[in-house]
Amino acid sequence: MDTITGCCLTLRPRSLGIADHHSPQLSTAKRTVSLLSLYKNQKSKTKLTLSSMAAPLQVSAFSTIGARNEDLGTASSGLVGENDLLIVGPGVLGRLVADKWRQEHPGCQVYGQTVTTDHHDELIKMGINPSLKGTKATQQYPYVIFCAPPSRTSDYPGDVREAALSWNGDGSFVFTSSSAPYDCFDNGQCDEDSPIVPIGRSPRTDVLLKAEKVVLESGGCAIRLAGLYKADRGAHAYWLEKGTVEVRPDHILNLIHYEDAASLTVAILKKKLRSRIFLGCDNHPLSRQEVMDLVAKSGKFSKKFVAFTGAPYDELWTKEPS
């Protein structure tokens, strides 16, 4: 899809994986870029420079996974610390945010709100205090992040509004959105100022834009993330499973690794910004074909991708009308 202008990242090379975003090429304003690699493994700091139609902010964050579960309190104590964090939807991204937040704020409490109790034991082991959606809130938190997907609710904006009520207004409220609302579908460049899809054209973008509106009116920030990926998640995994996919091979994807998305989210949370929209990607757009070429070159997948069978853009443009 597009490139992120709202944030500048110096990303370490990532090992395998890649996610699709059905849009054009995000143009990255003021971004230091790294090589996106499917066949290298390197560990280093991730540095972030945030800009969102405002002066750049310099931040650095670490990428270490593995949370502790020591001396955790519970919501029943009635005490909320100045750096405590509520994560609505503590899935892959939310758990990474929790880990990075604890590194930045040792001793803080992290809470996770879920739709079911299926993963509560896992969350407790990771040091996240779980609660169930719909449970009457008895306290507010200085930091709240909403990263639940819209697929598991009939009222996504309403859920976001409920999450905003759990924020006490002191720290930050952040909503992880998608770069899908940008009205760019021709492999052209796109940044955070680019036009968005009008309300009413697409149910998918409607729900995101309505949720973002709730966030901005509450004083929170929205981060429009490009295609999230890691080794075992992303479009590459889907395409490998299918083998042959009837789409254009030269369509541009914009990507961001889950860990980098988490680092970006933490950086924005820490800055206590109000009513901003950010756009986040790794500034290394690739075509679908390039993605799968890297997957093949990595040698880390047992399955083999066959081909994209859709007509490339140049064929579509030169084809005579029938």
Side-chain angles (χ1 to χ4, degrees):
M1 176 162 160
D2 325 319
T3 313
I4 291 185
T5 298
C7 119
C8 298
L9 302 174
T10 304
L11 305 179
R12 69 167 184 264
R14 296 296 181 183
S15 64
L16 20 144
I18 295 193
D20 184 4
H21 219 75
H22 301 291
S23 257
Q25 181 169 335
L26 290 172
S27 93
T28 309
K30 307 175 183 173
R31 170 89 53 84
T32 309
V33 188
S34 78
L35 171 68
L36 175 66
S37 171
L38 289 183
Y39 44 93
K40 288 185 180 179
N41 266 315
Q42 295 183 13
K43 292 184 178 179
S44 64
K45 291 182 182 179
T46 299
K47 294 197 175 203
L48 302 154
T49 303
L50 306 179
S51 68
S52 165
M53 298 172 273
L57 310 169
Q58 192 71 35
V59 188
S60 63
F62 295 90
S63 300
T64 304
I65 302 177
R68 302 189 314 265
N69 180 22
E70 55 186 22
D71 300 326
L72 286 174
T74 63
S76 61
S77 66
L79 299 176
V80 176
E82 63 179 357
N83 293 315
D84 286 359
L85 172 67
L86 170 65
I87 302 172
V88 180
V92 175
L93 180 59
R95 295 179 189 193
L96 286 169
V97 169
D99 180 66
K100 294 176 187 297
W101 188 256
R102 256 193 305 263
Q103 293 171 38
E104 298 277 347
H105 303 96
C108 74
Q109 303 252 6
V110 178
Y111 301 84
Q113 184 185 102
T114 62
V115 175
T116 72
T117 60
D118 294 350
H119 301 286
H120 280 196
D121 287 345
E122 295 173 26
L123 296 175
I124 290 170
K125 290 176 181 177
M126 297 178 66
I128 299 174
N129 297 300
S131 63
L132 199 58
K133 175 185 174 183
T135 303
K136 184 174 177 56
T138 58
Q139 55 193 12
Q140 292 180 308
Y141 305 86
Y143 295 93
V144 177
I145 173 176
F146 188 103
C147 48
S151 57
R152 302 192 68 182
T153 177
S154 59
D155 185 11
Y156 198 55
D159 289 351
V160 173
R161 187 172 292 106
E162 285 297 316
L165 295 176
S166 296
W167 178 40
N168 66 16
D170 290 341
S172 297
F173 174 41
V174 168
F175 169 64
T176 57
S177 186
S178 165
S179 54
Y182 288 107
D183 195 11
C184 309
F185 296 90
D186 58 356
N187 276 7
Q189 290 203 344
C190 174
D191 61 27
E192 75 266 14
D193 295 321
S194 295
I196 59 174
V197 176
I199 290 288
R201 181 194 295 176
S202 164
R204 179 193 178 199
T205 55
D206 280 0
V207 72
L208 291 171
L209 290 171
K210 289 175 181 178
E212 287 182 0
K213 185 173 185 290
V214 171
V215 173
L216 298 175
E217 289 176 347
S218 301
C221 294
I223 310 174
R224 291 173 177 168
L225 297 172
L228 287 161
Y229 77 93
K230 64 188 187 79
D232 59 347
R233 295 174 71 95
H236 70 290
Y238 172 76
W239 294 333
L240 276 175
E241 195 66 34
K242 296 285 287 184
T244 301
V245 186
E246 192 176 354
V247 294
R248 292 189 296 266
D250 56 345
H251 182 77
I252 294 296
L253 310 179
N254 291 270
L255 312 168
I256 186 168
H257 193 280
Y258 272 97
E259 287 192 33
D260 292 314
S263 294
L264 172 59
T265 301
V266 168
I268 294 172
L269 279 167
K270 287 171 60 181
K271 288 300 174 180
K272 302 181 180 181
L273 303 171
R274 297 291 181 266
S275 300
R276 301 278 194 91
I277 291 180
F278 292 87
L279 175 58
C281 78
D282 63 10
N283 197 34
H284 193 81
L286 298 170
S287 71
R288 289 177 176 136
Q289 189 61 57
E290 287 172 323
V291 168
M292 299 315 289
D293 288 346
L294 286 171
V295 167
K297 188 175 181 179
S298 74
K300 297 182 178 181
F301 297 90
S302 58
K303 293 188 177 182
K304 302 298 181 184
F305 180 70
V306 180
F308 295 109
T309 58
Y313 278 109
D314 55 356
E315 291 184 22
L316 293 173
W317 291 336
T318 58
K319 189 176 293 184
E320 292 292 333
S322 55

